[in-house]
């Protein structure tokens, strides 16, 4: 093979230097953002999304019946990733939105219309930074108490509404209180839902609650939290909550990934 022309070799060396300089600048920007938001360490970057999404067969972390959407507590993956999901939509904290965008933290928002409707623009802005908008019913009822017509209204009408609001029809549905029935599964499937993600951990501004006694993240865990303002049982802000989740994941060697990339 002929030797590279001097001009070509010089160009390749320059490109390599520019690329390395850009990488260093990116790391410095990320470190500055982590310091600005009070993180204990630089968050770990999630791996590239899997080329093929994990099979959601019935087993540990997944409940599945023939013909129905799977109910998922833990995504079957060996990647050291966890997934952050934020429910309801009552609090619309601009600092939380800025922090998530600047740090590049992926998350999924499960919205109930009666809480989110006062400012869907806030959630569209989150969507513009990669947050997905998913279904959490119109009015947050206990689905076990609803008849067929009410189930369709709560689930499918919110599917339609979120499609109008966001331009994308949700594929994921979280039942209020984590409670569901076979009828709810069938109804959701009929209007485009492909999975019911539940959770293994719940995040608060001042602590994490764990489903399992080891109090450790496991690959594919789903973390629940809420759009909430400070109160007697929410002791801090949404940025406090996000800081706690990111720091806990980083300390245990986990990155936060986007749930829709795996489900």
């Amino acid at each position: 093979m002929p030797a590279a022309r001097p001009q070509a070799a010089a160009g390749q060396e320059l490109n390599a230097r520019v690329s390395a300089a850009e990488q260093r600048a990116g790391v410095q920007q990320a470190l500055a953002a982590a310091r600005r938001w009070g993180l204990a360490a630089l968050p770990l970057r999630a791996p590239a999304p899997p080329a093929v999404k994990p099979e959601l067969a019935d087993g540990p972390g997944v409940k599945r019946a023939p013909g129905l959407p799977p109910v998922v507590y833990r995504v079957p993956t060996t990647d050291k990733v966890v997934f952050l999901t934020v429910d309801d939509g009552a609090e619309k904290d601009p600092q939380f939105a800025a922090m998530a965008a600047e740090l590049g933290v992926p998350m999924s928002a499960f919205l109930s219309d009666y809480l989110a409707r006062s400012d869907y623009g806030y959630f569209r802005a989150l969507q513009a930074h990669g947050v997905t908008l998913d279904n959490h019913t119109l009015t947050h009822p206990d689905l076990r108490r609803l008849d067929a017509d009410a189930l369709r209204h709560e689930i499918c009408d919110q599917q339609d509404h979120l499609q109008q609001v966001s331009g994308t029809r949700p594929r994921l549905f979280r039942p209020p209180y984590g409670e569901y029935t076979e009828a709810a599964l069938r109804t959701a499937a009929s209007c485009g839902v492909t999975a019911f993600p539940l959770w293994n951990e719940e995040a608060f501004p001042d602590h994490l609650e764990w489903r399992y006694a080891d109090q450790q993240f496991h690959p594919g865990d789903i973390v629940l939290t809420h759009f909430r303002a400070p109160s007697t049982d929410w002791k801090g802000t949404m940025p406090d909550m996000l800081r706690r989740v990111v720091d806990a994941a980083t300390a245990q060697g986990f990155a936060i990934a986007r749930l829709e990339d795996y489900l």
Side-chain angles (χ1 to χ4, degrees):
M1 177 180 292
R5 291 179 300 169
Q7 298 92 336
Q12 291 169 1
E13 182 178 355
L14 177 60
N15 288 340
R17 289 178 178 175
V18 169
S19 178
E22 289 175 342
Q23 290 178 2
R24 287 194 296 272
V27 170
Q28 290 304 312
Q29 290 175 357
L31 284 169
R35 286 194 293 267
R36 188 159 43 252
W37 292 106
L39 298 184
L42 187 65
L44 298 174
R45 178 176 294 184
V52 178
K53 293 180 181 180
E55 180 183 358
L56 299 175
D58 190 49
V62 179
K63 295 181 179 179
R64 184 152 206 176
L68 298 177
V71 177
V72 184
Y73 295 84
R74 178 181 293 153
V75 175
T77 180
T78 58
D79 292 347
K80 289 201 72 174
V81 296
V82 296
F83 307 101
L84 181 60
T85 63
V86 194
D87 280 11
D88 297 344
E91 177 68 4
K92 302 162 185 70
D93 184 340
Q95 287 293 101
F96 172 72
M99 182 180 182
E102 191 169 351
L103 295 174
V105 179
M107 66 185 78
S108 303
F110 287 85
L111 301 180
S112 290
D113 179 66
Y114 84 110
L115 293 171
R117 71 168 67 125
S118 64
D119 188 5
Y120 269 114
Y122 176 85
F123 299 104
R124 283 193 294 268
L126 289 179
Q127 185 185 25
H129 288 288
V131 176
T132 54
L133 306 186
D134 293 304
N135 190 340
H136 197 42
T137 72
L138 290 171
T139 68
H140 206 274
D142 185 335
L143 300 184
R144 297 171 297 179
R145 300 177 181 273
L146 302 187
D147 63 19
D149 288 343
L151 282 172
R152 176 160 290 279
H153 172 61
E154 285 288 342
I155 298 171
C156 297
D157 286 2
Q158 179 67 338
Q159 284 283 95
D160 295 341
H161 187 57
L162 286 172
Q163 184 172 5
Q164 293 172 358
V165 165
S166 70
T168 302
R169 193 166 186 80
R171 294 186 299 101
L172 304 183
F173 174 79
R174 173 166 286 155
Y177 316 107
E179 300 291 354
Y180 61 93
T181 62
E182 181 176 320
L185 290 166
R186 292 191 186 282
T187 300
S190 75
C191 49
V193 169
T194 60
F196 276 44
L198 296 186
W199 62 90
N200 273 334
E201 293 85 24
E202 185 169 359
F204 297 83
D206 62 332
H207 71 285
L208 293 171
E209 291 186 356
W210 307 86
R211 185 180 299 273
Y212 298 105
D214 65 0
Q215 297 193 0
Q216 296 288 311
F217 289 123
H218 302 86
D221 272 358
I222 300 172
V223 182
L224 165 68
T225 191
H226 294 84
F227 290 99
R228 291 191 60 181
S231 66
T232 55
D233 60 349
W234 187 265
K235 298 174 182 176
T237 65
M238 292 199 66
D240 292 333
M241 175 278 298
L242 185 57
R243 186 179 306 110
R244 184 164 297 278
V245 173
V246 173
D247 279 347
T250 304
Q252 294 185 25
F254 283 84
I256 298 175
R258 182 172 289 104
L259 182 60
E260 285 78 0
D261 290 340
Y262 285 74
L263 284 187

